[in-house]
C-alpha cells in the first residue's frame, strides 16, 4: 500500500489527467485502483480464468507504454500467485488480438500489488485497446459493483480470441489499473545538416548515412517508419535514399548539377510520435586544374621558327567536358587538341613571322572552362635571336708551289651557325682576278673547300699573292673573311739519312735483300729520281731503285770485299742534289745463342694470389757473339698462361703478370708449359718451362654488410625470417658455419651454425621496463679457418598482447533514489600492460539489461548518473557491465552493482569495495534455511525423549512380550547365541518410536 501511495503521489505531481487523443502526451492511469465490495472476489465454480474488461474505464484513449501495473489481490488468495495482465485489441470481424501481456506476481493478499515494468518488456497500448487478465488457477483480482466485463476459460495461452462470442457481464469493476507513459519521440541525431558534394562523385557513392535515436527500447528499426517526404532542387533526380541502410547515394546515370538540393526525412513510431530533419546536399563544381603549368610554364624558341610546332601539352584535371583557349590576341600562337589525343596543346602557328629585335617574348593568357568555372594560366614564349654564322679559323694565307700541276684543295673552311642552319658561302672578289681559284661545298655540313685548279701555270715572278674576299650567310645574317694564296719559288730535294754506313751478312744475305733505304724530302713534294755508283765498281752487288731502296743484286757469300762506298744523287726534274756517300760493311758468319738452364727436372710451383710482377724464373743463355743483343719472347699452353705470366724481353726474367692475379679457381688449368724463345736478331733458341699453380685457402666475404630482421615480441623458440645472407668464397667446396655476438645483449637470440637462422633464445617483451625495441648484432661466417662479419639489426615489433584489466572484477555502490544527475559516484580504473599505442584504451558501458541508459562513464573511468533512479524504486539492485577496450580491440570487463537502499534518507555513495556477505541478495535466504535446519536437528532428540516419557530406555512394542514367550521354542546352537539374539531384540531403536503401543 505504501508503494501504491508513492506511485499515486508521483502520478499526481506529474499532472495525471484523463487520456485524450493519440499519442499519449502525459503519464495517465487506465483502470480501477480499489473496489467497494471485496466479498465476491472470485469466479469459483464458473470455470473462469480469463477476463476482458470491455468497459470505458479500462479502455485506452491514446498510444503509449504501460510502465506500471497495480492489482488488488483477492481476499484469502494463496500468495505469491502469478497473473498475466493483458491488453486486447478489437480488430473487428469477431476477432480480438492480444496486444501484449506481462506476467506479474501478487505477493500481498488483500492489498495493492505494484509492479514496475521496465523496457523492453513494456506493452504498447493503443487507442481503443482494453485491459484483461488471465490466471490459470482462478482470478486473483478483487472487484465490486461497476462496469462491463466478459469472462472465459483458457485451456492454454491465447494470442487471439473471439471475445464477442462471450456473454456480457456488468456491475463489476476490477481492482486492476495500468499507468501508461508517453512514447518518446524518435529523432534524427545528425539532421539538420549540410553536406558538400563534389560534382565528380560517381554513381553509388555514399554521401550521408542517417542515424536515429529513440529512447524506447521497444522501438527497433522494424517498429519505426522512415520516409523521404520532401525534396527541393534536383535532389529526387540526382540522389537516392536506401531505406535498408539509411544511406543517401548518387544515382546511376546522372551528372551532378552544382547547387543546393534538399531532402527532408520523417521518422515515426507506432504511436505516431514523429520528427523530421532536412539534409542539404550542396553540389560543388570542381573547376579544371591545369597541372602542367606548375612545372613547365615557359619555352624558348628561335625567331627563325616558322613551322607549326607543339610547345606545351596541357595536363588538365577535370571530370566534366572542358575546352581550352588562348585569350591573348594578335599572337602567332594557338591552343588546339593534339592530333591522336584528347589533350590540348599550345602550338606555334604555321607560317609565323617573328623578329627578336621587334618583340623578344610573348606572354600568353590562356584559360580552360567546364561551363561552370574558368581556370586561367599564363604561358611565356621567349624568342632566341638569330646569330650570324661564324667562319672558323680562317688563316690569313696559304703557300702554293709554283710548280703545282694537280687540282689541290688549299683549305677546308668550316662555318658554325648557332641555330645549326645551312649556310651558303661565296667568293665575291679575287684580286688580281683569276679563274684558277674557286670554292665548292665539302662533304661535311657547313664546310667549303678552297681549290686550286689543275695545271694553274703559276709563276712566282709574275704573281706572288692572290686575295680572296669570302662571305657566308644563313639567310638572315652573314659573316665575312679574307684569304690569301702565296706562290712559292721551287726548292731542291734534300737527303735525310746520307752520309751513312750499313752492314750486310755474307752468309745470311740473299738476292733482293734491301741493304739500305735512302730517305729524301722535297719541299714541293715533287716526284724524284735516284742514281748511284759504287767503289769498287767492278761487279758491284748493289742497285738503287727510284723509291730510294738499295738492293743486293747477287750473292756475297764468301765475299772478300770488306766494304763498298756507294755515291747517290737525286733530281726533282729541275734541280739535282748530291752525290752523298753510303758505306756498306760485309760481316762474317753469326753464332746461335743457347738456353742453359732449361728444361727443369720438375715443374716450378707458383701459389695462387702471388704478388703482381713477382719474379718466378731467370732464363740464362750463352752466345759466342759477345756483342749480340738478345730478345726474349714466350708462348703458353694452355694459351691463358700469357694472362698470368710475363717475360722481360730484354733480360729473360719470368714473373707473374703485372695486371692479373693468379687465381686457382679461375685458371683453365693448374699446369702450364711456357715456351721461351731467345733471339739475337739472326738466330734463336727455344726451351719449355713447366709451372704448377698451387691452391691457397681464401676467406669467405660478405657482399652485403648489413641486414635487418623484424620479429613480433613473443616467447622463446620463435624462428625469425631468413636474413638472406649474401657472401662469396672463392674456394669451391668449403663448408661454412655461422655464429653471432650481440655485445651486452647476451642471451636474447641464438643462431643456427648451419643455416644462419636466428631464434629467440628467451621471451622478449617490449612492454617490460628497460626492454629494447632494437638490437644490433654481428653475424660471423667462417670456413673453419678464415672469417668475415656483417651487421644484423633485429627490430622487435610492439604488438597488442595485453588486455586492459580493471582494479576489481566487481564494484558496488549505494545511491539514494534521488541522487543528482550527471554527478560522479565512483571510479572504475583499468590498466593495460601494453606500451605505446596499444596501451591506450577507452571506457564504455553495457547496460542493455536496464532498458535505458541510466549510468554513464567518463574517459577517466569515473561513473556518473545519467538518468533518474526513481523508475526502479527503493530497495532495487541494479547491475551492469563496464568495458575497457584498447586500440587493438582487446577488451577487459568488470561488473558494477548499484543498490538503492530501502530508505528515503540520503545515503553516502560507497565506491571501490566488494559487496558484503549480507548485501548479496541470495546469502540471507541461505542463512535462514540453514538456521531452520539447525533448529530442527537440535530439537529432534528432545522430541524423542518427550515421546518416551522422559526416558532414554526403549519401552518396547506391544508384540515384544509375545516374542519373548516364543524364545524357548527357537533352536540355538548354544547359550551364547541365544544371549546375543536377546540383546539385539532389546536394542533401543529411536527411529521406530512411533511403533510404541
Amino acid at each position: 500500500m505504501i508503494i501504491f501511495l508513492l506511485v499515486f503521489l508521483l502520478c499526481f505531481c506529474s499532472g495525471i489527467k484523463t487520456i485524450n487523443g493519440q499519442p499519449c502526451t502525459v503519464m495517465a492511469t487506465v483502470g480501477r485502483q480499489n473496489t467497494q465490495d471485496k466479498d465476491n472476489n472470485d469466479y469459483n465454480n464458473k470455470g473462469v480464468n480469463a477476463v476482458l474488461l470491455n468497459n470505458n474505464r479500462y479502455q485506452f484513449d491514446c498510444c503509449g507504454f504501460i510502465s506500471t501495473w497495480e492489482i488488488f489481490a483477492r481476499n484469502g488468495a494463496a500468495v505469491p500467485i502469478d497473473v498475466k495482465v493483458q491488453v486486447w485489441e478489437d480488430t473487428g470481424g469477431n476477432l480480438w488480438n492480444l496486444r501484449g501481456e506481462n506476467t506479474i506476481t501478487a505477493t500481498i493478499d488483500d492489498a495493492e500489488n505494484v509492479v514496475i515494468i521496465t523496457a523492453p518488456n513494456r506493452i504498447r497500448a493503443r487507442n481503443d485497446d482494453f485491459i484483461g487478465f488471465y490466471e490459470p488457477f482462478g482470478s486473483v483480482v478483487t472487484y465490486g459493483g461497476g462496469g462491463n466485463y466478459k469472462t472465459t476459460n483458457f485451456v492454454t495461452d491465447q494470442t487471439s480470441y473471439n471475445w464477442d462470442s462471450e456473454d456480457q457481464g456488468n456491475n463489476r469493476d476490477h481492482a486492476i489499473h495500468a499507468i501508461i507513459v508517453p512514447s518518446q519521440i524518435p529523432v534524427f541525431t545528425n539532421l539538420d545538416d549540410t553536406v558538400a558534394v563534389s560534382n565528380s562523385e560517381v554513381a553509388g557513392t555514399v554521401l550521408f548515412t542517417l542515424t536515429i535515436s529513440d529512447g524506447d527500447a521497444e522501438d527497433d528499426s522494424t517498429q519505426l517508419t522512415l520516409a523521404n517526404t520532401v525534396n527541393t532542387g534536383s535532389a529526387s533526380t540526382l540522389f537516392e535514399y536506401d531505406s535498408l541502410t539509411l544511406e543517401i547515394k548518387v544515382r546511376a546515370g546522372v551528372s551532378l548539377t552544382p547547387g543546393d538540393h534538399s531532402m527532408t526525412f520523417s521518422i515515426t513510431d507506432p504511436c505516431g510520435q514523429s520528427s523530421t530533419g532536412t539534409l542539404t546536399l550542396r553540389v560543388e563544381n570542381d573547376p579544371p586544374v591545369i597541372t602542367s603549368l606548375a612545372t613547365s610554364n615557359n619555352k624558348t624558341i628561335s625567331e627563325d621558327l616558322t613551322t607549326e610546332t607543339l610547345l606545351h601539352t596541357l595536363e588538365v584535371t577535370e571530370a566534366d567536358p572542358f575546352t581550352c583557349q588562348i585569350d591573348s590576341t594578335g599572337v602567332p600562337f594557338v591552343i588546339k587538341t593534339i592530333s591522336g589525343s584528347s589533350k590540348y596543346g599550345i602550338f606555334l602557328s604555321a607560317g609565323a613571322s617573328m623578329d627578336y629585335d621587334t618583340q623578344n617574348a610573348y606572354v600568353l593568357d590562356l584559360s580552360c572552362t567546364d561551363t561552370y568555372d574558368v581556370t586561367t594560366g599564363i604561358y611565356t614564349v621567349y624568342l632566341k635571336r638569330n646569330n650570324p654564322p661564324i667562319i672558323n679559323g680562317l688563316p690569313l694565307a696559304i703557300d702554293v708551289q709554283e710548280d703545282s700541276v694537280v687540282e689541290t684543295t688549299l683549305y677546308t673552311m668550316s662555318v658554325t651557325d648557332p641555330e645549326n642552319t645551312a649556310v651558303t658561302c661565296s667568293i665575291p672578289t679575287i684580286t688580281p682576278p683569276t679563274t684558277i681559284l674557286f670554292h665548292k661545298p665539302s662533304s661535311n655540313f657547313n664546310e667549303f673547300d678552297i681549290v686550286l685548279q689543275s695545271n694553274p701555270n703559276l709563276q712566282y715572278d709574275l704573281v706572288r699573292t692572290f686575295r680572296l674576299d669570302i662571305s657566308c650567310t644563313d639567310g638572315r645574317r652573314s659573316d665575312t673573311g679574307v684569304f690569301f694564296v702565296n706562290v712559292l719559288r721551287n726548292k731542291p730535294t734534300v737527303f735525310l739519312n746520307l752520309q751513312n754506313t750499313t752492314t750486310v751478312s755474307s752468309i745470311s744475305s740473299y738476292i733482293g735483300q734491301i741493304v739500305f733505304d735512302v730517305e729524301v724530302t722535297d719541299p714541293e713534294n715533287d716526284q724524284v729520281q735516284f742514281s748511284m755508283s759504287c767503289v769498287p765498281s767492278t761487279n758491284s752487288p748493289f742497285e738503287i731503285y727510284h723509291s730510294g731502296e738499295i738492293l743486293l743484286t747477287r750473292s756475297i757469300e764468301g765475299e772478300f770485299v770488306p766494304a763498298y762506298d756507294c755515291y747517290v744523287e737525286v733530281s726533282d726534274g729541275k734541280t739535282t742534289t748530291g752525290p752523298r756517300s753510303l758505306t756498306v760493311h760485309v760481316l762474317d758468319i753469326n753464332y746461335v745463342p743457347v738456353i742453359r738452364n732449361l728444361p727443369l727436372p720438375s715443374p716450378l710451383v707458383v701459389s695462387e694470389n702471388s704478388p703482381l710482377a713477382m719474379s718466378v724464373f731467370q732464363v740464362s743463355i750463352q752466345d759466342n757473339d759477345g756483342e749480340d743483343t738478345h730478345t726474349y719472347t714466350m708462348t703458353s699452353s694452355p694459351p691463358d698462361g700469357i694472362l698470368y705470366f710475363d717475360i722481360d724481353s730484354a733480360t729473360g726474367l719470368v714473373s707473374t703478370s703485372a695486371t692479373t692475379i693468379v687465381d686457382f679457381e679461375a685458371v683453365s688449368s693448374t699446369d702450364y708449359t711456357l715456351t721461351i724463345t731467345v733471339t739475337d736478331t739472326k738466330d734463336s733458341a727455344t726451351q719449355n718451362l713447366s709451372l704448377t699453380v698451387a691452391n691457397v685457402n681464401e676467406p669467405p666475404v660478405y657482399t652485403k654488410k648489413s641486414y635487418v630482421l623484424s620479429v613480433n615480441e613473443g616467447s622463446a623458440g620463435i624462428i625469425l625470417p631468413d636474413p638472406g645472407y649474401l657472401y662469396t668464397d672463392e674456394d669451391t667446396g668449403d663448408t661454412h658455419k655461422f655464429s653471432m655476438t650481440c655485445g651486452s645483449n647476451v642471451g636474447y637470440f641464438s643462431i643456427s651454425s648451419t643455416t644462419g637462422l636466428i631464434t629467440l633464445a628467451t621471451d622478449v617483451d617490449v612492454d617490460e621496463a628497460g626492454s629494447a625495441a632494437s638490437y644490433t648484432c654481428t653475424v660471423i661466417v667462417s670456413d673453419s679457418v678464415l672469417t668475415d662479419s656483417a651487421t644484423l639489426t633485429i627490430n622487435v615489433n610492439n604488438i597488442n598482447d595485453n588486455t586492459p584489466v580493471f582494479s576489481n572484477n566487481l564494484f558496488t555502490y549505494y545511491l539514494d533514489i534521488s541522487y543528482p544527475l550527471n554527478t560522479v559516484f565512483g571510479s572504475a580504473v583499468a590498466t593495460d600492460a601494453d606500451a605505446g599505442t596499444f596501451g591506450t584504451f577507452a571506457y564504455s558501458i553495457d547496460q542493455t539489461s536496464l532498458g535505458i541508459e541510466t549510468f554513464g562513464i567518463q574517459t577517466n573511468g569515473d561513473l556518473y548518473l545519467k538518468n533518474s533512479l526513481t523508475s526502479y524504486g527503493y530497495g532495487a539492485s541494479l547491475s551492469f557491465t563496464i568495458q575497457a577496450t584498447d586500440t587493438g580491440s582487446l577488451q577487459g570487463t568488470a561488473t558494477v552493482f548499484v543498490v538503492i537502499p530501502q530508505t528515503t534518507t540520503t545515503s553516502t555513495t560507497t565506491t571501490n569495495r566488494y559487496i558484503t556477505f549480507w548485501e548479496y541478495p541470495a546469502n540471507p535466504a541461505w542463512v535462514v534455511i540453514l538456521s531452520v535446519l539447525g533448529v530442527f536437528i537440535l530439537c529432534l532428540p528432545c522430541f524423542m525423549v518427550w515421546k518416551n516419557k522422559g526416558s532414554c530406555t526403549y519401552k518396547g512394542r506391544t508384540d515384544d512380550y509375545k516374542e519373548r514367550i516364543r524364545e524357548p521354542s527357537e533352536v540355538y546352537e548354544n547359550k551364547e547365541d541365544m544371549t546375543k539374539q536377546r540383546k539385539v531384540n532389546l536394542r533401543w531403536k529411536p527411529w521406530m518410536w512411533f511403533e510404541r503401543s
Side-chain angles (χ1 to χ4, degrees):
M1 183 61 70
I2 294 174
I3 295 175
F4 172 75
L5 291 175
L6 290 174
V7 173
F8 176 78
L9 291 174
L10 178 62
C11 295
F12 179 80
C13 295
S14 301
I16 296 178
K17 56 183 178 181
T18 303
I19 299 175
N20 264 317
Q22 167 184 342
C24 298
T25 58
V26 296
M27 182 186 297
T29 301
V30 178
R32 182 68 177 266
Q33 291 178 293
N34 295 309
T35 57
Q36 302 301 319
D37 184 1
K38 301 180 183 178
D39 295 333
N40 300 320
N41 56 5
D42 60 30
Y43 293 87
N44 291 340
N45 302 320
K46 290 188 177 182
V48 172
N49 64 6
V51 180
L52 174 68
L53 307 175
N54 59 335
N55 181 271
N56 59 2
R57 181 187 295 272
Y58 302 95
Q59 183 178 19
F60 295 92
D61 288 339
C62 67
C63 181
F65 291 102
I66 298 176
S67 64
T68 305
W69 286 100
E70 296 186 8
I71 63 173
F72 198 108
R74 61 182 168 86
N75 188 28
V79 293
I81 186 168
D82 292 338
V83 60
K84 297 182 179 182
V85 290
Q86 301 173 326
V87 176
W88 287 89
E89 171 197 14
D90 185 2
T91 63
N94 298 327
L95 183 64
W96 291 64
N97 284 339
L98 181 64
R99 183 77 75 183
E101 67 179 13
N102 295 124
T103 300
I104 64 176
T105 301
T107 58
I108 307 174
D109 180 27
D110 197 22
E112 289 288 351
N113 291 263
V114 180
V115 179
I116 297 174
I117 308 299
T118 59
N121 301 312
R122 302 176 302 175
I123 302 172
R124 189 197 305 274
R126 309 195 191 191
N127 294 63
D128 301 328
D129 289 349
F130 290 93
I131 295 176
F133 58 89
Y134 164 52
E135 196 281 298
F137 303 103
S139 173
V140 299
V141 179
T142 63
Y143 60 87
N148 299 329
Y149 66 95
K150 291 191 176 187
T151 62
T152 188
N153 185 51
F154 287 162
V155 178
T156 60
D157 291 348
Q158 300 293 320
T159 58
S160 62
Y161 188 72
N162 184 8
W163 282 105
D164 295 335
S165 65
E166 301 297 341
D167 294 336
Q168 180 71 49
N170 54 38
N171 198 28
R172 284 188 177 182
D173 279 338
H174 297 74
I176 179 171
H177 75 269
I179 296 177
I180 186 169
V181 297
S183 63
Q184 298 190 38
I185 299 175
V187 295
F188 295 100
T189 60
N190 58 347
L191 292 182
D192 297 330
D193 198 1
T194 299
V195 176
V197 180
S198 170
N199 70 330
S200 61
E201 293 290 358
V202 298
T205 299
V206 177
L207 305 177
F208 194 80
T209 302
L210 299 177
T211 57
I212 59 176
S213 174
D214 192 320
D216 298 321
E218 293 83 0
D219 285 341
D220 57 19
S221 59
T222 62
Q223 299 290 327
L224 300 175
T225 302
L226 277 78
N228 177 204
T229 57
V230 179
N231 292 316
T232 63
S234 301
S236 58
T237 303
L238 302 179
F239 310 105
E240 62 182 356
Y241 163 61
D242 190 330
S243 60
L244 295 178
T245 64
L246 306 186
E247 296 172 338
I248 291 86
K249 307 176 182 177
V250 178
R251 285 189 183 275
V254 299
S255 179
L256 298 183
T257 304
D260 286 352
H261 311 276
S262 297
M263 303 177 74
T264 300
F265 298 89
S266 66
I267 179 170
T268 308
D269 68 7
C271 284
Q273 296 277 38
S274 65
S275 64
T276 61
T278 300
L279 173 65
T280 300
L281 298 163
R282 180 162 296 159
V283 179
E284 298 177 346
N285 179 60
D286 291 337
V289 177
I290 307 174
T291 60
S292 58
L293 294 181
T295 56
S296 176
N297 61 6
N298 65 83
K299 188 175 183 67
T300 301
I301 62 175
S302 173
E303 65 176 342
D304 296 333
L305 192 59
T306 59
T307 58
E308 182 178 83
T309 305
L310 175 62
L311 305 180
H312 179 80
T313 299
L314 290 174
E315 299 291 344
V316 182
T317 302
E318 173 55 59
D320 296 329
F322 65 92
T323 59
C324 295
Q325 64 181 20
I326 286 182
D327 298 325
S328 300
T329 58
V331 294
F333 303 95
V334 66
I335 288 181
K336 63 179 183 178
T337 55
I338 301 172
S339 177
S341 171
S342 60
K343 296 181 179 180
Y344 285 89
I346 302 175
F347 289 85
L348 173 69
S349 300
S353 177
M354 298 176 291
D355 186 353
Y356 176 89
D357 295 332
T358 302
Q359 183 174 353
N360 60 14
Y362 293 87
V363 178
L364 306 179
D365 295 320
L366 54 91
S367 62
C368 294
T369 178
D370 60 359
T371 71
Y372 294 106
D373 291 298
V374 176
T375 299
T376 60
I378 294 177
Y379 190 79
T380 304
V381 180
Y382 298 99
L383 295 186
K384 182 172 64 176
R385 190 177 189 274
N386 172 273
N387 293 306
I390 301 172
I391 303 174
N392 300 313
L394 187 64
L396 293 177
I398 192 168
D399 297 331
V400 178
Q401 293 295 326
E402 64 177 340
D403 55 356
S404 296
V405 294
V406 299
E407 183 178 287
T408 305
T409 299
L410 303 180
Y411 183 73
T412 299
M413 182 175 58
S414 172
V415 183
T416 301
D417 187 80
E419 293 79 25
N420 205 29
T421 305
V423 176
T424 302
C425 292
S426 62
I427 304 177
T429 306
I430 300 178
T431 306
T434 182
T435 60
I436 64 174
L437 296 168
F438 60 92
H439 83 284
K440 65 180 181 180
S442 178
S443 59
N444 295 326
F445 179 71
N446 281 355
E447 287 187 355
F448 302 89
D449 294 335
I450 299 176
V451 181
L452 174 68
Q453 72 178 27
S454 60
N455 299 314
N457 192 25
L458 297 174
Q459 297 182 39
Y460 174 82
D461 295 330
L462 295 178
V463 179
R464 298 182 180 183
T465 300
F466 292 94
R467 172 188 169 120
L468 285 71
D469 294 315
I470 300 172
S471 176
C472 296
T473 179
D474 61 2
R476 186 183 287 266
R477 294 176 177 83
S478 62
D479 189 20
T480 61
V482 177
F483 185 72
F484 294 93
V485 178
N486 297 320
V487 180
L488 301 179
R489 190 186 293 276
N490 180 63
K491 295 179 180 180
T493 305
V494 177
F495 284 100
L496 298 178
N497 58 351
L498 291 179
Q499 314 284 355
N500 210 335
T501 62
T502 187
T503 61
V504 62
S505 173
S506 62
I507 297 175
S508 61
S509 61
Y510 56 90
I511 298 173
Q513 176 180 337
I514 299 174
V515 176
F516 191 79
D517 188 1
V518 179
E519 295 180 358
V520 298
T521 180
D522 188 85
E524 296 86 9
N525 200 27
D526 293 336
Q527 186 175 353
V528 297
Q529 293 181 347
F530 290 93
S531 61
M532 181 182 69
S533 61
C534 295
V535 178
S537 59
T538 304
N539 198 22
S540 173
F542 305 108
E543 182 181 359
I544 190 168
Y545 285 3
H546 289 308
S547 62
E549 294 173 336
I550 298 175
L551 281 70
L552 187 65
T553 59
R554 66 174 176 82
S555 172
I556 60 172
E557 185 176 358
E559 182 71 45
F560 293 103
V561 178
Y564 290 88
D565 291 324
C566 297
Y567 299 95
V568 180
E569 291 182 343
V570 63
S571 173
D572 63 358
K574 291 185 178 182
T575 306
T576 299
T577 303
R580 298 287 190 270
S581 66
L582 172 67
T583 300
V584 179
H585 296 279
V586 178
L587 303 179
D588 296 331
I589 188 169
N590 180 63
Y591 291 95
V592 179
V594 176
I595 299 175
R596 297 190 305 172
N597 58 346
L598 286 178
L600 297 176
S602 61
L604 187 64
V605 178
V606 177
S607 298
E608 70 166 328
N609 300 326
S610 293
L612 295 173
M614 181 188 75
S615 298
V616 175
F617 184 78
Q618 176 64 59
V619 178
S620 175
I621 65 170
Q622 179 180 353
D623 192 338
N624 291 334
D625 297 321
E627 295 182 0
D628 280 355
T629 299
H630 300 93
T631 302
Y632 298 86
T633 59
M634 181 178 70
T635 61
S636 173
S637 178
D640 65 329
I642 295 299
L643 299 175
Y644 306 114
F645 302 100
D646 292 331
I647 189 168
D648 190 315
S649 62
T651 65
L653 176 64
V654 179
S655 62
T656 58
S657 171
T659 58
T660 306
I661 288 288
V662 179
D663 187 351
F664 181 86
E665 288 74 26
V667 297
S668 63
S669 173
T670 58
D671 296 316
Y672 288 93
T673 298
L674 304 180
T675 300
I676 299 173
T677 300
V678 57
T679 179
D680 61 359
T681 71
K682 304 176 187 66
D683 293 295
S684 62
T686 300
Q687 287 291 348
N688 292 331
L689 171 62
S690 298
L691 298 178
T692 296
V693 178
N695 190 21
V696 175
N697 184 36
E698 295 163 302
V701 177
Y702 278 108
T703 57
K704 180 182 177 183
K705 287 293 187 178
S706 179
Y707 302 87
V708 178
L709 292 179
S710 293
V711 63
N712 292 337
E713 56 181 342
S715 56
I718 294 177
I719 300 176
L720 278 64
D722 189 348
Y725 302 118
L726 300 177
Y727 64 91
T728 59
D729 191 335
E730 294 190 14
D731 298 319
T732 58
D734 276 2
T735 299
H736 302 97
K737 293 185 178 181
F738 297 91
S739 60
M740 70 184 295
T741 176
C742 297
S744 61
N745 298 313
V746 178
Y748 286 96
F749 307 98
S750 62
I751 189 170
S752 170
S753 62
T754 56
T755 66
L757 295 179
I758 309 299
T759 304
L760 292 185
T762 185
D763 295 347
V764 177
D765 189 353
V766 176
D767 304 315
E768 291 183 358
S771 295
S774 180
Y775 300 85
T776 301
C777 302
T778 299
V779 181
I780 302 167
V781 61
S782 170
D783 63 0
S784 300
V785 178
L786 302 175
T787 64
D788 194 17
S789 63
T791 299
L792 174 64
T793 301
I794 303 175
N795 297 320
V796 181
N797 302 322
N798 185 16
I799 63 173
N800 189 25
D801 57 347
N802 292 286
T803 301
V805 177
F806 282 94
S807 58
N808 293 319
N809 291 329
L810 179 66
F811 296 89
T812 303
Y813 305 97
Y814 292 84
L815 299 182
D816 185 77
I817 198 168
S818 60
Y819 195 84
L821 298 180
N822 301 316
T823 303
V824 174
F825 60 83
S827 179
V829 179
T831 57
D832 193 324
D834 281 315
T837 303
F838 294 123
T840 303
F841 55 86
Y843 293 101
S844 61
I845 187 169
D846 182 1
Q847 50 189 329
T848 307
S849 60
L850 302 181
I852 60 174
E853 294 187 20
T854 305
F855 303 98
I857 189 168
Q858 298 178 355
T859 57
N860 62 354
D862 286 348
L863 296 165
Y864 65 94
L865 186 63
K866 195 172 183 180
N867 282 303
S868 174
L869 298 174
T870 56
S871 61
Y872 298 103
Y874 291 105
S877 178
L878 313 178
S879 68
F880 57 88
T881 302
I882 53 175
Q883 304 155 331
T885 307
D886 64 18
T887 55
S889 300
L890 295 181
Q891 186 179 86
T893 62
T895 301
V896 176
F897 275 101
V898 175
V899 178
I900 304 173
Q902 288 278 11
T903 176
T904 59
T905 303
T906 302
S907 61
T908 302
T909 303
T910 304
T911 61
N912 281 338
R913 69 177 184 84
Y914 293 105
I915 189 169
T916 65
F917 179 83
W918 296 106
E919 291 168 350
Y920 190 70
N923 292 341
W926 285 109
V927 171
V928 172
I929 294 172
L930 292 175
S931 299
V932 172
L933 182 60
V935 170
F936 176 78
I937 293 173
L938 291 173
C939 294
L940 181 60
C942 298
F943 178 76
M944 290 188 293
V945 169
W946 175 78
K947 280 292 187 179
N948 284 282
K949 299 184 182 296
S951 173
C952 290
T953 302
Y954 175 61
K955 300 298 184 179
R957 294 174 296 177
T958 307
D959 295 334
D960 284 349
Y961 176 74
K962 296 178 180 180
E963 291 177 359
R964 288 195 295 270
I965 293 176
R966 291 196 297 268
E967 283 178 1
S969 64
E970 295 183 12
V971 179
Y972 300 96
E973 293 181 1
N974 51 53
K975 186 176 182 181
E976 182 179 355
D977 292 339
M978 181 178 68
T979 304
K980 289 181 179 180
Q981 184 62 37
R982 284 181 177 178
K983 290 181 179 180
V984 169
N985 290 337
L986 294 176
R987 185 176 299 134
W988 181 43
K989 301 176 181 178
W991 59 86
M992 299 182 67
W993 56 270
F994 53 85
E995 295 181 358
R996 288 180 67 251
S997 58

